[in-house]
Amino acid sequence: MKRTKINLLLERDAGLEDVLVNGWVRTRRDAKTFSFIEINDGSALKNIQVIADATLPNYDDIRKLSTGSAVAIRGVLAPSQGGGQKWEIQAKQVEIISLAPESYPLQKKRHTDEFLRTIAHLRPRTNKYGAAFRIRSELSYAVHHYFRERGFRYIHTPILTGSDCEGAGEMFRVTTMDLAAVPVIDKHTDYSADFFGTEANLTVSGQLSAEMFALSLGDVYTFGPTFRAENSNTRRHAAEFWMIEPEMAFCDLEGNMDLGEDLIKHLIGFIMDHCPDDLELFARFVDKKLRGTLDNIVNSSFVRLPYREAIAILEKSGRKFTYPVSFGLDLQTEHERFLTEQHFKKPVILYDYPKSIKPFYMRVNDDQETVAAMDILVPSIGEIIGGSQREERLAVVEARMNEMNMEKEPYWWYLESRMYGSVPHSGFGLGFERLLMLITGISNIRDVIPFPRTPGSIDF
RNA sequence: UCCCCAGUAGCUCAGUCGGCAGAGCAGGUGGCUGUUAACCACCGAGUCCGCGGUUCGAGUCCGUGCUGGGGAGCCA
């Protein structure tokens, strides 16, 4: 007999004479002539209650069922005789697939996130983490759904890259060389002996590759893992995370901002519509203000503010900031928080940043002083999107690379895209985990990634 | 990498001025009950993070290391 998942049983209108449910025991309560067993199979937040009567042949064993044990229950789906749930299963057969010993670490009470991180292989069996990872799955689907509906193509950009200067971030080196005996020529590593015959790293962004496909297929996006070897020890950073990077041909900065705002609103709305139970858990137990935060984002127009005006607002605010504010300096966390949490109290899109603090590929504005960059900042999380209109003029992008003392040779292919049919185009990167943090109210990025990788930590 | 905080039973924590190691939950046993974080009684449970120091005596004070957390920087 094929098993039926609990989420489908719980939403039924009518009972069933014979069903099979497989899952894990969350708790067992014994009455005089029968036991209540609550089963969860991960398909939903809710458990299903099983009534196991003392007349069952293996009732003695059933009475020993411990939290975490795996079972197969066959029985009747019937209206519950007690309050608290609509349906229950009156068991005709209880097969114990495996009995969890008393050392099972998850108890029927609240655990701290810090403890659960030490048992990351078991934590998805808890209500909170089960809900978080169901939402993560739905959110991934929603990303693909959103772009597909709008004619975007999904591009698998490389994870291994030969460039060591894609971005400012530190990169993870990829090598097959024996690190105890690295070949050296003139005190420098001889990468010609390595697997690719040159230095190789893990990607920090699929953007440059995605641009090539935007200039071919029109509107494209990437959605995959990204790696940063920064020694960042914060609740918002991980060494391995997922990023969504749309790239649009024939699109300027305004169109880019439109997409970023619409994407965020749509994805949040999708989860509100499709994961009400899981979201409710976070609104009740993790962040009491979550509903208000999400409603505010979905219903408000994001503020669009040139960097120059943001500086003026900060200067006039009368606030004493730890870090200085003036044109040419990047905004610090305290400044971003002031703008989104105090001044506007909603998401803010900052754009037209000084070119001196932004990378070579961003399009230089007519003022020659700023570039067509945009960051979307949200309350509590901070920067969730960073993007720009790309510099499509060959001479300008080459001049920028010269200014920054960049070696142009590795980018020959990137520069050729500006020689052959170059067009205005734009894109951005959206931090998938940061969006998940925003949607769930989970405050640590390590808790929205199945097995998080951070400096000094690669267990599981 | 820098600053701050924490580390005591399986888990969450208390431990006063430096003087016998504690509670709740979990687990075990028994009881009660269409229960639902069930309830009641009893029982077992410790490298007080490691190392060194001060002291008659250190969970407690000092130094150092490790681990975890928060903040900052960097960024998504």
Side-chain angles (χ1 to χ4, degrees):
Chain A
M1 188 179 186
K2 197 168 183 244
R3 77 179 173 114
T4 308
K5 291 188 179 175
I6 291 169
N7 62 330
L8 299 178
L9 291 179
L10 291 176
E11 66 191 21
R12 281 189 64 86
D13 295 321
L16 285 166
E17 271 311 301
D18 191 19
V19 289
L20 172 66
V21 168
N22 290 6
W24 294 271
V25 174
R26 281 297 178 80
T27 181
R28 192 198 79 243
R29 293 176 294 273
D30 299 321
K32 184 167 270 175
T33 58
F34 60 94
S35 288
F36 299 98
I37 312 167
E38 284 201 41
I39 309 296
N40 189 285
D41 67 358
S43 63
L45 180 65
K46 291 196 179 88
N47 306 322
I48 198 156
Q49 174 166 289
V50 173
I51 310 298
D53 197 83
T55 56
L56 287 165
N58 60 339
Y59 190 64
D60 286 349
D61 292 333
I62 290 169
R63 289 268 300 214
K64 291 179 189 140
L65 271 177
S66 51
T67 302
S69 297
V71 289
I73 310 278
R74 210 166 151 170
V76 179
L77 183 76
S80 177
Q81 292 172 31
Q85 59 280 316
K86 184 178 174 189
W87 297 108
E88 65 189 20
I89 293 177
Q90 285 150 9
K92 289 184 285 199
Q93 195 181 84
V94 175
E95 182 197 341
I96 299 168
I97 297 173
S98 76
L99 193 66
E102 64 185 70
S103 57
Y104 184 66
L106 292 171
Q107 299 173 5
K108 292 178 283 186
K109 64 162 199 161
R110 207 188 152 277
H111 286 292
T112 59
D113 294 324
E114 290 80 7
F115 171 68
L116 291 170
R117 265 171 231 152
T118 70
I119 50 167
H121 56 308
L122 296 174
R123 68 179 180 168
R125 298 192 194 183
T126 65
N127 288 338
K128 178 177 169 182
Y129 288 85
F133 293 114
R134 276 189 297 274
I135 288 177
R136 185 176 172 121
S137 172
E138 284 298 298
L139 189 61
S140 300
Y141 169 77
V143 167
H144 292 299
H145 180 77
Y146 176 91
F147 285 119
R148 188 170 188 275
E149 292 267 293
R150 286 156 185 79
F152 283 67
R153 305 298 180 173
Y154 177 34
I155 308 299
H156 296 125
T157 52
I159 290 175
L160 296 170
T161 174
S163 163
D164 70 343
C165 44
E166 269 190 44
E170 291 290 311
M171 301 178 83
F172 286 101
R173 179 70 42 82
V174 173
T175 181
T176 54
M177 293 191 291
D178 178 0
L179 295 182
V182 173
V184 171
I185 294 177
D186 293 340
K187 293 187 177 173
H188 291 285
T189 306
D190 177 19
Y191 288 105
S192 68
D194 205 351
F195 186 87
F196 295 106
T198 184
E199 275 185 75
N201 296 288
L202 294 180
T203 185
V204 294
S205 163
Q207 179 200 318
L208 302 189
S209 309
E211 282 187 49
M212 303 305 106
F213 278 79
L215 298 174
S216 316
L217 305 189
D219 293 334
V220 302
Y221 70 105
T222 75
F223 181 20
T226 308
F227 306 89
R228 302 279 167 89
E230 293 290 346
N231 189 16
S232 297
N233 292 284
T234 81
R235 61 187 183 82
R236 303 188 308 281
H237 292 87
E240 177 181 328
F241 63 99
W242 283 56
M243 192 154 61
I244 299 153
E245 295 181 288
E247 197 69 37
M248 296 168 285
F250 311 105
C251 178
D252 62 11
L253 188 69
E254 194 186 350
N256 206 19
M257 292 192 276
D258 290 343
L259 184 79
E261 177 170 349
D262 187 59
L263 175 62
I264 289 175
K265 288 177 174 173
H266 179 274
L267 293 177
I268 292 174
F270 186 96
I271 296 302
M272 290 170 118
D273 290 344
H274 290 84
C275 307
D277 287 358
D278 289 329
L279 202 54
E280 177 63 15
L281 178 146
F282 292 105
R284 284 181 63 194
F285 299 117
V286 176
D287 178 4
K288 299 256 187 263
K289 293 181 293 184
L290 188 61
R291 291 270 172 220
T293 302
L294 297 182
D295 286 340
N296 179 35
I297 293 172
V298 170
N299 297 322
S300 68
S301 306
F302 293 9
V303 174
R304 299 193 183 189
L305 186 72
Y307 166 92
R308 215 180 276 277
E309 288 179 29
I311 296 294
I313 288 170
L314 291 165
E315 282 174 337
K316 278 186 274 183
S317 71
R319 294 289 176 122
K320 275 192 184 156
F321 294 110
T322 309
Y323 290 88
V325 174
S326 79
F327 186 89
L329 297 181
D330 213 351
L331 296 185
Q332 304 296 315
T333 298
E334 57 174 347
H335 307 135
E336 296 178 353
R337 293 186 73 125
F338 174 79
L339 291 170
T340 57
E341 292 169 21
Q342 312 275 316
H343 191 77
F344 292 109
K345 295 187 166 63
K346 59 179 176 174
V348 176
I349 310 182
L350 286 175
Y351 65 98
D352 288 351
Y353 281 76
K355 71 174 182 181
S356 57
I357 57 172
K358 290 294 182 183
F360 75 96
Y361 52 74
M362 294 188 174
R363 193 179 195 279
V364 178
N365 289 321
D366 291 345
D367 62 13
Q368 300 300 318
E369 204 174 25
T370 59
V371 289
M374 66 106 179
D375 285 356
I376 300 186
L377 313 176
V378 294
S380 87
I381 306 291
E383 184 182 341
I384 196 164
I385 278 180
S388 68
Q389 182 172 340
R390 317 306 189 189
E391 182 55 76
E392 84 281 11
R393 297 162 297 186
L394 180 61
V396 180
V397 75
E398 284 185 327
R400 286 278 284 154
M401 292 176 87
N402 287 337
E403 274 171 34
M404 296 173 136
N405 289 317
M406 288 174 63
E407 213 182 313
K408 286 199 289 270
E409 196 280 328
Y411 295 94
W412 65 271
W413 51 275
Y414 186 79
L415 294 171
E416 277 202 0
S417 72
R418 271 60 176 169
M419 286 170 61
Y420 306 127
S422 187
V423 301
H425 61 287
S426 299
F428 60 79
L430 166 62
F432 184 64
E433 283 80 10
R434 288 193 181 171
L435 180 62
L436 211 42
M437 291 167 72
L438 180 67
I439 290 173
T440 58
I442 288 174
S443 59
N444 195 310
I445 198 168
R446 298 174 185 96
D447 298 333
V448 296
I449 300 179
F451 297 106
R453 275 80 179 90
T454 51
S457 174
I458 194 168
D459 279 347
F460 306 105

